Amino acid sequence: MSAFASSIRNPQADIRTSPDSPAAVLAALDGQVECYRKLSKLAEQQHEHVQMSRVEELLTVLQRRQDVLDEVATLEKTVGPAKRQWSAFIAGLDAVNRKRAESQLAETRKLLEAITLADRNDALVLQQRKLNIGRQLTQASGAKQVNRNIAAAAYGARPARMDVTR
């Protein structure tokens, strides 16, 4: 391709690549819906790993979720300005694209609510597990002290390891 040919711009490509064009916003909304669907599936996997106490697999899922969230953040740079002026953005679309955009935004919100609820439930499970482990540690520590007291009563107190009289 010559230097001249490469400098000619395709106006149709500009419509698709201009971050504030309706076509770019609709494409970014499509991308966000797909990302939230992926996040929903990953939330299901996360829940399974939390329930089964599979730490390594859970960490892998969390990393994959972070990768998808990074993608959402990138898409939000395009969608965000349109969301802030949603009424004006929608008013500039034809009926088919208006319905499409509203549907995409509604699905995104629905998926986000489901993901948030699943995360809250997993957090509660993990909190309860943490409390149970704390109780077990307290019981084990108490049992250790009881064993020391029994041993001291049976065999006499252990001599101090340091001479504290000096």
Side-chain angles (χ1 to χ4, degrees):
M1 181 184 291
S2 72
F4 176 76
S6 65
S7 68
I8 297 176
R9 299 174 72 159
N10 178 349
Q12 194 65 20
D14 286 346
I15 289 173
R16 282 183 269 120
T17 58
S18 174
D20 57 349
S21 74
V25 172
L26 290 170
L29 282 169
D30 284 336
Q32 281 190 331
V33 168
E34 285 306 310
C35 285
Y36 283 111
R37 286 178 183 155
K38 289 177 193 175
L39 286 170
S40 180
K41 289 178 183 173
L42 289 169
E44 291 172 12
Q45 291 175 13
Q46 172 184 303
H47 181 72
E48 183 180 320
H49 296 317
V50 165
Q51 291 294 324
M52 304 304 270
S53 298
R54 293 185 286 214
V55 176
E56 291 300 320
E57 292 89 344
L58 177 60
L59 292 173
T60 300
V61 168
L62 291 173
Q63 180 57 53
R64 289 174 52 201
R65 283 185 68 171
Q66 185 59 53
D67 294 343
V68 176
L69 286 171
D70 291 344
E71 191 176 339
V72 168
T74 300
L75 293 167
E76 188 63 26
K77 291 177 185 173
T78 302
V79 175
K83 283 182 182 175
R84 286 187 287 279
Q85 299 175 348
W86 190 250
S87 297
F89 174 73
I90 289 292
L93 298 176
D94 60 51
V96 171
N97 283 327
R98 183 178 308 121
K99 184 175 180 174
R100 176 179 159 204
E102 289 173 341
S103 172
Q104 290 168 321
L105 193 59
E107 185 174 357
T108 297
R109 286 184 180 138
K110 180 181 149 197
L111 288 165
L112 186 56
E113 286 174 10
I115 292 164
T116 302
L117 179 62
D119 285 350
R120 255 189 239 124
N121 290 338
D122 287 344
L124 289 173
V125 168
L126 291 171
Q127 263 183 334
Q128 188 60 47
R129 193 169 293 148
K130 177 184 166 188
L131 291 172
N132 290 341
I133 289 172
R135 281 188 212 113
Q136 290 171 355
L137 287 173
T138 301
Q139 289 171 350
S141 177
K144 186 176 177 182
Q145 186 60 45
V146 167
N147 287 340
R148 280 188 190 144
N149 292 343
I150 292 171
Y155 304 109
R158 292 173 62 185
R161 292 183 184 180
M162 282 170 70
D163 184 9
V164 289
T165 58
R166 289 189 212 186

